């Protein structure tokens, strides 16, 4: 007798429905495909939302109580403002509070706008150290002395300080004046070639400053052709160090061109170092900064040999700072940092100085009168330190142009550890903090009519007493080592130009508008016409 399972019609129907549902959820079924597709998008959207939320939370948490946007544009922040920086936007940020912040991509940035906040950052080496954009480490090399910190940095500076003493600076004057003479003739020729029509002179001022730097730093170890090549290519180095650039060097990008230019400069300086060592070993006279440094290395080496060899110490003069003999590359890297620090800032100051003098002939006349007087009526008399130091009014003009149009607006630092900058706010470790110099230099409580160009404020006014506000060269352990050299170079240049040249500034609607490119320049690049002064 056979047996069979009897099912009800409803069970049969249910079984069919189960089969259909199972097939829908089964491998390759439409619901599975929909869920799989949905899961992918859900994961992507969820992750994105979590990242946005984390980015906002981290920004708000870091921001704390200081001024800044309530929320940031997700991830990028004010990236587009960084592409085209403007002084007006900087001023608005400075005015928002003595401490304010932005967040660009992953970097949280605190801006220290007031004088006291800026000085506190500059004088807090326990919490901060100088930093520049990531590309600078690739161009200047990570081991460069400018990236040293603490005692290592202090010790290295001791060996460089002697290169900028009054005695040393006087040794460099003939080389500087030689460049003045050469380029003033070039200015005249350029104006003649253009039939007396105005020519933008900002590029020419960049070139003369590069030539002055090279002659001062490495003397005649470098050819005129190499100086011209460096002057032409240095613009690429500046462009590669913009805030917004590829962090990786891709061919034919700004960083790529900048790296090639930097390598060329280092190669030229290394060749100069080799020549200087040969000449200093032979007892040659010091004519440039490189010579002075190399000579100090050899004097230190000689002292060590004599004392180590058991020679009587009596009669042996110990060098002020004992140095080792640096390699040619190490010397080249250090000299490159001098060029790096001076080129853009000096070019900016020179451009504004010539433009401002042309627009204020009464000030230029006073500079001429003073420079002729200190030369005892002989306009061709060569420069000396005594002469430069006696130019009270010309030095006031230079100091005022540095205050009026400061070539350095701000200095970026990296926070090494949580920095309690005020009682109520601590800058997080890893953030960037940027002390701003412009507000202190345009403080109306210190400088009456701060937006007016008035050299007399340094002579008959109180400006000279406001040492805490004059932050053009920074303060603290990383202040500019060449500040005296930089100012006297400008004094010598504009004083000699005043005696030998006439120049006219052809103003345009953009002459007083400022463009920001590492430093500040007139937007029209300073159109001038030069002629020889009788």
């Amino acid at each position: 007798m056979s047996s069979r399972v009897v099912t009800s019609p409803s069970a049969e129907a249910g079984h069919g429905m189960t089969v259909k549902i199972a097939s829908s959820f089964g491998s390759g079924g439409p619901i599975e495909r929909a869920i799989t597709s949905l899961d992918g998008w859900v994961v992507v959207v969820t992750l994105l939302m979590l990242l946005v939320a984390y980015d906002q939370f981290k920004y708000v948490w870091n921001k704390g109580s200081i001024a800044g946007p309530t929320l940031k544009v997700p991830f990028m922040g004010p990236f587009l403002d960084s592409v085209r920086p403007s002084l007006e936007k900087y001023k608005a940020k400075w005015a928002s509070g003595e401490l304010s912040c932005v967040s660009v991509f992953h970097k949280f940035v605190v801006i220290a706008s007031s004088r006291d906040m800026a000085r506190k950052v500059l004088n807090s080496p326990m919490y901060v150290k100088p930093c520049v954009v990531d590309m600078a480490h690739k161009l200047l090399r990570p081991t460069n002395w400018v990236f040293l910190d603490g005692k290592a940095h202090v010790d290295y500076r001791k060996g460089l300080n002697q290169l900028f003493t009054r005695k040393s600076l006087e040794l460099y004057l003939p080389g500087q004046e030689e460049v003045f003479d050469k380029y003033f003739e070039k200015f005249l020729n350029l104006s003649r070639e253009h039939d007396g029509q105005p020519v933008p002179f900002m590029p020419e001022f960049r070139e003369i400053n590069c030539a002055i730097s090279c002659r001062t730093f490495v003397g005649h170890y470098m050819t005129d052709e190499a100086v011209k090549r460096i002057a032409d290519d240095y613009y690429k180095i500046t462009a590669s160090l913009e805030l917004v650039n590829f962090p990786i060097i891709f061919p034919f990008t700004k960083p790529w061109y900048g790296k090639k230019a930097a390598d060329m400069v280092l190669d030229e300086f290394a060749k100069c170092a080799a020549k200087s060592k040969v000449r200093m070993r032979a007892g040659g006279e010091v004519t440039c900064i490189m010579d002075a440094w190399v000579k100090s290395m050899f004097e230190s080496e000689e002292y060590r040999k004599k004392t180590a060899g058991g020679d009587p110490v009596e009669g042996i003069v110990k060098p002020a700072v004992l140095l080792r003999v640096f390699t040619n590359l190490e010397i080249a890297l250090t000299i490159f940092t001098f060029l790096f620090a001076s080129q853009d800032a000096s070019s900016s100051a020179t451009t504004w100085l010539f433009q401002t003098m042309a627009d204020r002939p009464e000030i230029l006349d006073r500079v001429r009168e003073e420079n002729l007087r200190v030369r005892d009526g002989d306009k061709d008399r060569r420069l000396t330190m005594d002469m430069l130091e006696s130019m009270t009014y010309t030095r006031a003009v230079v100091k005022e142009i540095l205050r009026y149009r400061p070539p350095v607006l701000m200095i970026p630092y990296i926070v090494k550890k949580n920095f309690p900058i005020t009682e109520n706010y601590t800058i997080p470790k890893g953030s960037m903090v940027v002390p701003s110099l412009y507000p202190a230099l345009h403080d109306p409580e210190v400088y009456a009519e701060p937006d007016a160009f008035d050299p007399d404020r340094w002579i008959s006014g109180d400006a000279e007493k406001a040492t805490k506000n004059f932050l053009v060269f920074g303060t603290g352990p990383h202040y500019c080592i060449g500040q005296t050299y930089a100012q006297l170079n400008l004094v010598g240049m504009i004083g000699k130009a005043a005696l030998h040249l006439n120049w006219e500034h052809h103003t345009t609607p953009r002459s007083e508008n400022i463009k920001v490119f590492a430093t500040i320049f007139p937007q029209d690049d300073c159109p001038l016409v030069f002629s020889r002064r009788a």
Side-chain angles (χ1 to χ4, degrees):
M1 182 174 171
S2 64
S3 63
R4 62 190 180 95
V5 178
V6 179
T7 57
S8 67
S10 60
E12 291 283 355
H15 175 70
M17 184 177 294
T18 301
V19 171
K20 288 180 180 180
I21 292 173
S23 64
S24 296
F25 278 94
S27 176
I31 293 178
E32 185 195 38
R33 291 197 300 271
I35 290 174
T36 302
S37 176
L38 182 62
D39 285 348
W41 280 110
V42 167
V43 170
V44 170
V45 172
T46 302
L47 284 175
L48 183 61
M49 291 178 67
L50 287 172
L51 289 172
V52 169
Y54 174 75
D55 187 49
Q56 295 293 347
F57 173 79
K58 186 178 180 182
Y59 165 72
V60 172
W61 180 267
N62 287 338
K63 175 181 177 294
S65 59
I66 65 175
T70 304
L71 297 173
K72 64 175 286 191
V73 176
F75 306 122
M76 62 186 278
F79 168 80
L80 297 179
D81 288 343
S82 303
V83 176
R84 290 187 177 274
S86 74
L87 187 62
E88 289 70 27
K89 290 179 180 177
Y90 285 149
K91 285 181 177 180
K93 196 67 183 173
W94 296 329
S96 68
E98 66 173 3
L99 290 176
S100 60
C101 67
V102 295
S103 179
V104 181
F105 293 116
H106 67 291
K107 184 62 69 176
F108 182 71
V109 183
V110 174
I111 297 98
S113 302
S114 70
R115 179 200 68 183
D116 292 341
M117 286 295 102
R119 290 185 65 87
K120 187 163 187 178
V121 174
L122 294 168
N123 285 291
S124 298
M126 284 183 58
Y127 293 102
V128 301
K129 66 177 181 178
C131 73
V132 281
V133 295
D134 293 339
M135 192 52 57
H137 290 81
K138 297 180 174 66
L139 268 59
L140 299 176
R141 312 292 172 87
T143 56
N144 200 302
W145 80 279
V146 294
F147 301 125
L148 295 177
D149 194 24
K151 186 176 184 301
H153 176 262
V154 172
D155 290 344
Y156 202 100
R157 279 183 73 106
K158 287 179 181 177
L160 300 178
N161 285 334
Q162 61 188 325
L163 307 179
F164 296 95
T165 63
R166 187 184 187 280
K167 181 180 178 181
S168 297
L169 293 178
E170 186 142 37
L171 294 174
Y172 314 145
L173 286 177
Q176 291 170 244
E177 197 161 13
E178 174 191 327
V179 176
F180 297 160
D181 292 339
K182 176 181 177 180
Y183 275 84
F184 290 171
E185 285 299 319
K186 183 179 179 182
F187 294 172
L188 293 168
N189 291 335
L190 191 59
S191 290
R192 279 194 294 266
E193 290 169 6
H194 286 80
D195 299 320
Q197 296 301 306
V199 176
F201 261 83
M202 185 271 279
E204 304 305 319
F205 293 142
R206 288 182 65 89
E207 186 175 327
I208 187 176
N209 276 284
C210 184
I212 292 168
S213 294
C214 288
R215 284 288 172 257
T216 304
F217 300 160
V218 302
H220 281 278
Y221 299 126
M222 183 178 289
T223 65
D224 291 343
E225 292 73 22
V227 170
K228 180 68 167 65
R229 189 164 65 253
I230 291 174
D232 290 342
D233 284 1
Y234 198 89
Y235 196 87
K236 299 173 184 175
I237 296 174
T238 303
S240 72
L241 295 172
E242 291 174 335
L243 179 63
V244 182
N245 255 327
F246 289 111
I248 301 172
I249 299 177
F250 291 116
F252 310 112
T253 60
K254 289 181 182 179
W256 185 77
Y257 286 114
K259 180 67 164 60
K260 286 175 67 69
D263 289 346
M264 179 271 291
V265 174
L266 285 172
D267 183 59
E268 290 292 339
F269 283 161
K271 293 175 184 175
C272 293
K275 295 174 185 176
S276 178
K277 285 181 177 179
V278 171
R279 187 164 168 274
M280 290 300 101
R281 284 281 192 203
E285 292 185 0
V286 171
T287 60
C288 61
I289 284 177
M290 185 176 281
D291 281 347
W293 197 26
V294 168
K295 184 178 180 180
S296 295
M297 295 176 202
F298 290 160
E299 289 173 348
S300 296
E301 182 184 51
E302 186 67 17
Y303 176 82
R304 286 194 178 94
K305 285 181 179 178
K306 288 182 177 179
T307 54
D311 292 349
V313 177
E314 191 175 324
I316 300 176
V317 179
K318 182 179 180 180
V321 179
L322 285 173
L323 305 174
R324 64 180 175 85
V325 178
F326 292 98
T327 67
N328 295 342
L329 178 59
E330 287 175 319
I331 295 171
L333 284 167
T334 300
I335 298 298
F336 187 23
T337 63
F338 294 166
L339 182 64
F340 178 78
S342 65
Q343 174 61 14
D344 290 317
S346 296
S347 300
S348 169
T350 302
T351 303
W352 288 111
L353 193 54
F354 274 88
Q355 173 170 308
T356 305
M357 291 295 91
D359 292 344
R360 295 162 177 79
E362 72 284 358
I363 294 177
L364 181 54
D365 286 343
R366 290 178 65 180
V367 169
R368 283 187 172 124
E369 186 277 327
E370 180 178 71
N371 274 263
L372 191 60
R373 185 178 70 252
V374 300
R375 289 172 170 82
D376 295 326
D378 180 5
K379 68 177 184 178
D380 295 318
R381 187 176 171 187
R382 308 308 279 179
L383 286 168
T384 65
M385 284 296 290
D386 286 341
M387 194 184 296
L388 290 170
E389 289 170 350
S390 67
M391 297 180 190
T392 304
Y393 187 73
T394 310
R395 286 190 293 114
V397 166
V398 167
K399 207 160 187 179
E400 178 68 352
I401 205 71
L402 295 173
R403 184 207 66 82
Y404 176 65
R405 292 286 186 261
V408 179
L409 299 179
M410 58 193 80
I411 308 171
Y413 279 71
I414 196 75
V415 180
K416 299 188 291 185
K417 61 181 180 179
N418 288 346
F419 181 10
I421 193 167
T422 69
E423 292 182 358
N424 302 317
Y425 185 71
T426 296
I427 307 176
K429 176 184 177 181
S431 304
M432 183 182 289
V433 58
V434 183
S436 304
L437 313 184
Y438 188 98
L441 295 163
H442 284 254
D443 185 347
E445 295 184 9
V446 177
Y447 304 109
E449 298 183 72
D451 294 326
F453 181 80
D454 179 16
D456 283 312
R457 73 172 82 241
W458 297 97
I459 300 172
S460 57
D462 295 329
E464 199 66 60
K465 299 176 183 177
T467 54
K468 288 187 176 182
N469 279 70
F470 194 71
L471 293 174
V472 173
F473 298 98
T475 186
H478 291 276
Y479 74 91
C480 177
I481 195 172
Q483 58 179 301
T484 301
Y485 157 74
Q487 292 180 80
L488 291 180
N489 175 56
L490 292 169
V491 169
M493 185 193 305
I494 197 65
K496 189 176 181 71
L499 292 176
H500 292 270
L501 302 173
N502 291 316
W503 63 95
E504 299 176 16
H505 176 224
H506 289 247
T507 58
T508 73
R510 300 189 301 153
S511 291
E512 291 299 323
N513 294 342
I514 293 173
K515 69 175 175 181
V516 180
F517 180 69
T519 178
I520 59 174
F521 292 103
Q523 285 187 359
D524 62 4
D525 289 341
C526 190
L528 299 172
V529 177
F530 282 88
S531 60
R532 193 180 304 279
R533 185 170 177 80

